[in-house]
Amino acid sequence: MSLAIFDLDNTLIAGDSDHAWGEFLVEQGAVDANVYREANERYYQLYQSGELDIHEYLAFSLKPLSENSPEQLAAWHQQFMAAKIEPIILPRAEELLARHRARGDTLLIITATNRFITAPIADRLGVDELIAIEPEIVNGRYTGRVSGVPSFQAGKVTRLEAWLAERDHTLDGSTFYSDSINDLPLLERVDTAIAVDPDGQLRAAADARDWRIISLRD
C-alpha cells in the first residue's frame, strides 16, 4: 500500500482550523477579545510567511486548553465543528480522499495544528491516521505545554519518520498534498509532491521543481 499524506488547513478544508478556533474562543467570551484576536492574527501572518516561532505560538494557543475543564472544551468543540468546520469542508477534498481510499492507499493527515482541534476533523473526513501537535495532558487536564516534537516544518519529517518506523512503512510510492511553504521539507521527501491551492511561496517552489499544482476549491 502506498501512503497518501495530506496537510489539513487550507488543503482539505477551506480555512485554518487553528485560527478559526481562536476566533471561536473570542466569540464565546473565553478569552480577552482585543488582546487575543490581535495576537491570533499576528501569529497567523507569521505562519503564512513561513516565519512563525512555533514554541512561542504554542505557549499562546495552548493556554486556553489549560484554563478550561475537559467537559467545557468538549462542549465548545462540538459547537466549533458545526459552526466553523463543517461549512469549510471541501467536497473535492472528500472526493480526493475517496479516490485514494478506493486505491487501497493508507491515508494520513499531518498537521501543525494540535490534536484537540484536529482529531474530530480527521474523524469527520474518515481519516484514521493523524500526526498532529500533541498538547500535554497531566491528570486528565491540559497543561498548556506541548508534548514531544511539534509537527511543524522539519518537525513534520521527524514525526513522520517515527510514525513510519513504528509501523514498518516506507515512503515508497508516497504522495503529499499541501498548500503551505512551511511544508517544503516534507514535500521534498516524498515521491510525489502536489501543491494544493498553494500560497505564493509554495507556488514558486512548485513551479521551480515542476511539481503538480491543483485546486480543491469550487
Side-chain angles (χ1 to χ4, degrees):
M1 289 188 294
S2 297
L3 188 59
I5 311 168
F6 305 86
D7 178 47
L8 177 63
D9 298 314
N10 286 306
T11 299
L12 293 179
I13 59 176
D16 185 285
S17 59
D18 215 351
H19 183 265
W21 172 252
E23 284 294 303
F24 178 82
L25 290 176
V26 169
E27 292 167 9
Q28 299 307 305
V31 292
D32 183 290
N34 292 330
V35 172
Y36 200 91
R37 179 172 281 132
E38 186 278 330
N40 199 35
E41 292 296 332
R42 178 168 53 84
Y43 284 124
Y44 187 45
Q45 293 301 318
L46 288 168
Y47 170 81
Q48 289 183 312
S49 66
E51 299 172 344
L52 179 67
D53 181 327
I54 189 62
H55 293 285
E56 179 184 329
Y57 173 67
L58 290 173
F60 161 77
S61 66
L62 298 182
K63 190 170 184 284
L65 298 185
S66 70
E67 295 175 332
N68 293 279
S69 70
E71 294 77 15
Q72 179 63 82
L73 291 169
W76 276 341
H77 204 295
Q78 278 194 315
Q79 299 171 49
F80 171 70
M81 286 292 295
K84 300 293 187 182
I85 298 301
E86 198 63 38
I88 61 173
I89 288 177
L90 294 165
R92 290 171 65 183
E94 292 189 286
E95 292 167 7
L96 176 63
L97 291 168
R99 289 197 297 273
H100 279 283
R101 197 175 289 116
R103 289 205 293 260
D105 294 337
T106 298
L107 275 56
L108 166 68
I109 290 173
I110 185 164
T111 175
T113 299
N114 71 72
R115 181 173 292 273
F116 167 76
I117 294 173
T118 57
I121 304 174
D123 288 344
R124 166 62 179 82
L125 294 171
V127 179
D128 294 331
E129 300 292 344
L130 171 68
I131 295 173
I133 286 176
E134 301 289 347
E136 183 185 63
I137 300 174
V138 175
N139 297 325
R141 292 195 60 129
Y142 292 104
T143 67
R145 297 184 294 269
V146 65
S147 178
V149 176
S151 45
F152 174 67
Q153 294 182 346
K156 282 194 176 182
V157 176
T158 300
R159 292 284 305 281
L160 178 59
E161 287 175 343
W163 185 92
L164 292 168
E166 289 172 1
R167 291 159 178 78
D168 199 28
H169 272 302
T170 72
L171 286 176
D172 291 346
S174 59
T175 303
F176 180 37
Y177 297 86
S178 177
D179 72 293
S180 175
I181 192 61
N182 289 290
D183 286 336
L184 190 60
L186 183 51
L187 286 162
E188 293 182 325
R189 289 293 298 274
V190 296
D191 282 352
T192 302
I194 299 178
V196 181
D197 299 291
D199 61 37
Q201 292 184 77
L202 181 57
R203 182 174 292 276
D207 285 339
R209 293 161 175 78
D210 200 27
W211 289 341
R212 186 179 169 203
I213 298 174
I214 68 170
S215 177
L216 297 179
R217 308 295 176 105
D218 291 333

